[in-house]
Amino acid sequence: MLMLSSTVSIKHEEENYMLFDNSNGNIYKINEVSHKILSLCDGENSNENIILSLTNEFDVAKADVKKDFNDLIKILLNKQYIYDNDN
Amino acid sequence: MGLYNMDSYNNKKHINNDFYAQWHFIDSCNLRCIHCYQDDYDYKDIDFDILNSIFFELDAAMSKWKMKCFISLSGGEPFLKPEGLFYLIDLIEQSDNFKNIAILTNGTLINNDTIIKLKKHKKISEIQVSLDGHNEETHDKIRGAGTFLKAIESIKRLKNAGIKTSIMFTLHDKNKDSAANMPKLAASLNIDMLTVERMTTMTKTEEQDFFIEASELKTIYSNVYNEAKKEFSNKDTELSTSRPLWNLIDENLGGYCPVGFSSICILHDGTLLPCRRLYLPIGNILTDGLFKVWYNSDILWQMRKKNDKSECFVCSHSERCGGCKAISYYHNNQDLSSKDPQCWI
Ligand code: SF4
Ligand code: SF4
């Protein structure tokens, strides 16, 4: 299951959503959906669960959510901002 | 995902890229001032590994944020450990991320050798000597016998050597009668900058002993300001008025609290505080790193936000003031966004 790396944190402040790389200081502006995905990457939610929560919360088609989710996860895994704790 | 700039959290209109760090690189002191927040007086040896690690963290943050750091080196008493002080100054001078260095001292340990060493360093922009009275009687009651004359002697030495020198007068109930006399003293010593700043009373006992009520502070600030205008008219001496409440004396003065936006305080062991006057440890630069603390500290986020329920939020002075968060915190039941208790409007 997906989990946020220990060097990364997320923040929602007023209308802003951010991802911090606490090791090199990079700050990324993210959107609300990405923030939600990352907040659910706690090592306990399956990908299916995360997608379900998003579909319920954001009133979008499951197929679209799935695509957004897969795209984002690919980038984040690549950057090692998240990891799969099953591996 | 694009790179995001933290500056958008800065409520100030004029954003620049200056950062201020106050680094208390030792905790030992040779004096025992009655109002001081320092409570550990062990004369420990300098740990150069700690100095290096803290410096590299700060340097990396400045580089990442594209900010230029103005750094104050202090203690305890920084000249008590010149080996640590000059080691740090050398390190800082080598980095383009640091603009200027100020040294905050009680002025009792500066000799001719020190002056020669100070002169060799180009980034030292100011030596700030604490004077807590305009005369021996007031100052020595607070800082100990013989300290006034020593400090004055050091100031003269520094000025004679052409080193920019400023005076820090920490104002409280026990030296308030001296305040309006400070400009005259500063002018007579050809000081570059005089700062008159309120003491932060952190406990009920300190409040009883040192706190000055708002109405009285108004009179003191006005007198200091008028005296400074008179005394400094033909001089290069300036009165520092960039902190909250000076805006009430003249609307062009004052300044919003920089905590959370462009300043941090680092203690000798790496503990990070929002400000030296606000003893709320928010992490440790050695174990957490500066980025983690700066991005995640709830206290810093709280201080970045303007609280629309606060009286300061609706005040027409809020851009240039907002009150001192530290004084408000200790005086108003740990409420950081409450109105500055020494504000007289
Ligand atoms: S109400 Fe607040 S912002 Fe206004 S002058 Fe007083 S302390 Fe400053
Ligand atoms: S808390 Fe007060 S002393 Fe500290 S930086 Fe803010 S205004 Fe200045």
Side-chain angles (χ1 to χ4, degrees):
Chain A
M1 268 168 280
L2 295 174
M3 204 159 166
L4 214 55
S5 138
S6 62
T7 57
V8 163
S9 55
I10 50 171
K11 179 86 189 162
H12 170 207
E13 194 62 38
E14 291 165 355
E15 71 277 18
N16 297 299
Y17 298 89
M18 289 160 277
L19 166 69
F20 300 124
D21 181 336
N22 297 311
S23 58
N24 67 11
N26 278 347
I27 306 171
Y28 300 97
K29 184 171 184 159
I30 55 179
N31 61 25
E32 192 181 354
V33 179
S34 309
H35 182 269
K36 182 75 195 181
I37 293 173
L38 285 162
S39 69
L40 293 169
C41 289
D42 58 0
E44 284 176 14
N45 283 305
S46 66
N47 292 6
E48 202 44 45
N49 267 351
I50 297 175
I51 292 167
L52 202 67
S53 306
L54 293 167
T55 328
N56 290 340
E57 192 169 331
F58 294 102
D59 191 26
V60 269
K62 197 171 173 184
D64 293 340
V65 171
K66 216 169 180 170
K67 187 183 176 310
D68 284 355
F69 174 82
N70 286 332
D71 288 351
L72 180 73
I73 293 308
K74 217 161 111 189
I75 299 171
L76 294 173
L77 281 170
N78 206 9
K79 281 190 170 284
Q80 296 181 333
Y81 285 166
I82 51 171
Y83 63 97
D84 195 336
N85 69 0
D86 291 337
N87 294 335
Chain B
M1 294 191 296
L3 261 183
Y4 194 82
N5 190 346
M6 196 78 151
D7 272 352
S8 62
Y9 286 94
N10 194 331
N11 289 308
K12 288 184 296 181
K13 282 226 171 82
H14 306 289
I15 296 160
N16 60 31
N17 67 345
D18 288 343
F19 192 90
Y20 176 70
Q22 194 171 93
W23 184 355
H24 298 257
F25 71 94
I26 52 167
D27 61 347
S28 347
C29 190
N30 57 325
L31 304 185
R32 303 289 179 269
C33 305
I34 57 168
H35 63 276
C36 184
Y37 34 57
Q38 209 67 40
D39 53 13
D40 188 349
Y41 293 104
D42 282 348
Y43 281 35
K44 291 183 209 91
D45 284 336
I46 291 287
D47 185 329
F48 290 92
D49 289 340
I50 290 186
L51 296 189
N52 285 332
S53 304
I54 294 178
F55 168 77
F56 289 128
E57 274 290 320
L58 198 53
D59 194 39
M62 293 307 111
S63 167
K64 173 60 66 180
W65 297 333
K66 297 192 173 43
M67 291 183 108
K68 297 282 178 207
C69 190
F70 176 83
I71 190 158
S72 288
L73 299 176
S74 185
E77 169 50 43
F79 288 108
L80 200 57
K81 295 284 179 188
E83 68 277 23
L85 176 65
F86 286 102
Y87 178 80
L88 270 183
I89 294 171
D90 283 337
L91 264 185
I92 293 165
E93 286 219 320
Q94 284 161 30
S95 166
D96 289 341
N97 298 317
F98 292 80
K99 208 151 95 180
N100 291 117
I101 305 166
I103 303 171
L104 317 184
T105 171
N106 61 35
T108 57
L109 299 172
I110 299 175
N111 55 32
N112 287 335
D113 277 356
T114 328
I115 304 260
I116 293 167
K117 280 191 192 148
L118 290 172
K119 288 278 285 176
K120 287 188 188 144
H121 294 89
K122 291 189 190 62
K123 283 192 184 172
I124 297 178
S125 59
E126 177 192 352
I127 309 296
Q128 186 191 85
V129 181
S130 293
L131 276 187
D132 287 339
H134 73 294
N135 57 19
E136 219 177 321
E137 195 196 342
T138 316
H139 177 94
D140 285 6
K141 245 189 213 157
I142 295 165
R143 295 192 163 252
T147 55
F148 181 77
L149 293 179
K150 276 188 192 159
I152 296 286
E153 191 52 41
S154 296
I155 290 172
K156 286 180 178 163
R157 273 205 191 117
L158 290 161
K159 284 302 301 176
N160 283 341
I163 298 171
K164 277 202 167 184
T165 309
S166 60
I167 289 176
M168 167 57 106
F169 176 83
T170 304
L171 170 67
H172 49 70
D173 197 55
K174 300 206 186 305
N175 64 4
K176 61 188 178 191
D177 296 336
S178 252
N181 296 304
M182 291 309 290
K184 190 171 189 177
L185 177 66
S188 73
L189 292 166
N190 278 319
I191 286 299
D192 295 275
M193 174 84 82
L194 167 67
T195 302
V196 173
E197 202 39 60
R198 312 171 269 159
M199 173 186 171
T200 306
T201 50
M202 293 176 160
T203 60
K204 283 284 160 228
T205 321
E206 278 187 356
E207 202 172 303
Q208 275 160 19
D209 291 347
F210 297 103
F211 191 77
I212 296 173
E213 293 301 331
S215 57
E216 200 176 5
L217 186 73
K218 177 186 179 180
T219 313
I220 297 170
Y221 268 27
S222 305
N223 292 343
V224 169
Y225 185 66
N226 292 332
E227 281 303 308
K229 250 189 165 168
K230 195 172 80 196
E231 295 292 341
F232 302 163
S233 61
N234 296 316
K235 298 255 176 197
D236 290 331
T237 312
E238 280 178 59
L239 180 69
S240 167
T241 50
S242 59
R243 297 194 188 176
L245 295 191
W246 281 105
N247 48 289
L248 293 177
I249 299 294
D250 177 331
E251 61 180 15
N252 299 309
L253 309 177
Y256 195 81
C257 171
V259 166
F261 302 112
S262 59
S263 87
I264 196 92
C265 170
I266 309 164
L267 300 186
H268 70 284
D269 61 356
T271 300
L272 291 166
L273 304 178
C275 155
R276 186 60 184 92
R277 293 155 195 248
L278 191 55
Y279 201 88
L280 294 176
I282 48 176
N284 188 297
I285 194 166
L286 297 167
T287 49
D288 301 315
L290 184 52
F291 292 128
K292 185 175 171 194
V293 176
W294 191 257
Y295 296 154
N296 298 287
S297 157
D298 288 338
I299 289 170
L300 291 185
W301 279 107
Q302 209 182 321
M303 295 179 82
R304 285 176 188 129
K305 248 196 276 186
K306 283 204 170 173
N307 183 341
D308 53 11
K309 288 186 190 70
S310 146
E311 228 178 294
C312 293
F313 182 79
V314 288
C315 171
S316 60
H317 291 273
S318 73
E319 282 287 329
R320 299 198 71 92
C321 181
C324 170
K325 311 284 183 216
I327 297 180
S328 306
Y329 177 86
Y330 289 110
H331 202 271
N332 300 330
N333 291 323
Q334 313 190 335
D335 182 355
L336 281 166
S337 61
S338 59
K339 183 182 170 186
D340 191 317
Q342 286 176 305
C343 169
W344 55 85
I345 62 164

